[in-house]
Amino acid sequence: MFVREQLIVYNRQYVPKALYEQSGDLCYRAYNEAGDRIGGITDIYSWQHIHVQFFLVSESARQAGIGTRLLQTIEAYAKKVRCTKILLDTFDFQAPDFYRKHGYEVYGRLTDHPAVGQTQYFFVKRL
């Protein structure tokens, strides 16, 4: 806690106060007709952006538009609270093409992570 608290004190010298007043955690879930949870997305928002932390759609529900609707829900919320961007990361074995299809752009990549031959991508969508 000490390190986090001290870093926040330091950052407040440089980041406008208004950006600290808008923050929180978000979680949206998707269910099928039987009431089973088939997906969800969790995010934090602060400093005029949303950072997607975890995003999953069950394999049995993929290609049905569930992921698109969850992403659109986050984007609509981001616009409502006047965020300027959405940030997220994914691995090459997860969904980089899905994010590209939805207008997200790669702003960074980490090769050989989490293992040799794999890549982690960092995406941004400017709103």
Side-chain angles (χ1 to χ4, degrees), residues 15-57:
V15 178
K17 182 180 178 184
L19 295 182
Y20 279 94
E21 295 170 358
Q22 178 198 30
S23 65
D25 299 315
L26 303 169
C27 179
Y28 295 95
R29 298 174 187 96
Y31 297 89
N32 63 16
E33 297 79 21
D36 302 316
R37 191 179 304 173
I38 56 171
I41 188 168
T42 65
D43 322 90
I44 56 172
Y45 72 95
S46 64
W47 294 10
Q48 294 181 306
H49 76 275
I50 286 183
H51 185 150
V52 175
Q53 294 181 306
F54 298 100
F55 185 15
L56 174 74
V57 175

Side-chain angles (χ1 to χ4, degrees), residues 28-121:
Y28 295 95
R29 298 174 187 96
Y31 297 89
N32 63 16
E33 297 79 21
D36 302 316
R37 191 179 304 173
I38 56 171
I41 188 168
T42 65
D43 322 90
I44 56 172
Y45 72 95
S46 64
W47 294 10
Q48 294 181 306
H49 76 275
I50 286 183
H51 185 150
V52 175
Q53 294 181 306
F54 298 100
F55 185 15
L56 174 74
V57 175
S58 300
E59 285 191 53
S60 63
R62 291 181 189 157
Q63 305 300 317
I66 306 294
T68 296
R69 285 195 296 278
L70 286 166
L71 203 55
Q72 289 170 340
T73 300
I74 290 300
E75 291 174 6
Y77 182 85
K79 290 174 184 175
K80 177 182 165 188
V81 297
R82 293 184 293 235
C83 288
T84 60
K85 64 188 77 65
I86 298 174
L87 305 171
L88 58 85
D89 65 275
T90 191
F91 295 105
D92 58 355
F93 55 85
Q94 291 177 328
D97 291 336
F98 172 79
Y99 297 115
R100 285 185 186 102
K101 181 176 96 173
H102 290 285
Y104 288 74
E105 299 175 9
V106 173
Y107 71 88
R109 71 187 74 212
L110 182 57
T111 57
D112 293 331
H113 180 73
V116 173
Q118 296 174 333
T119 301
Q120 182 176 13
Y121 293 94

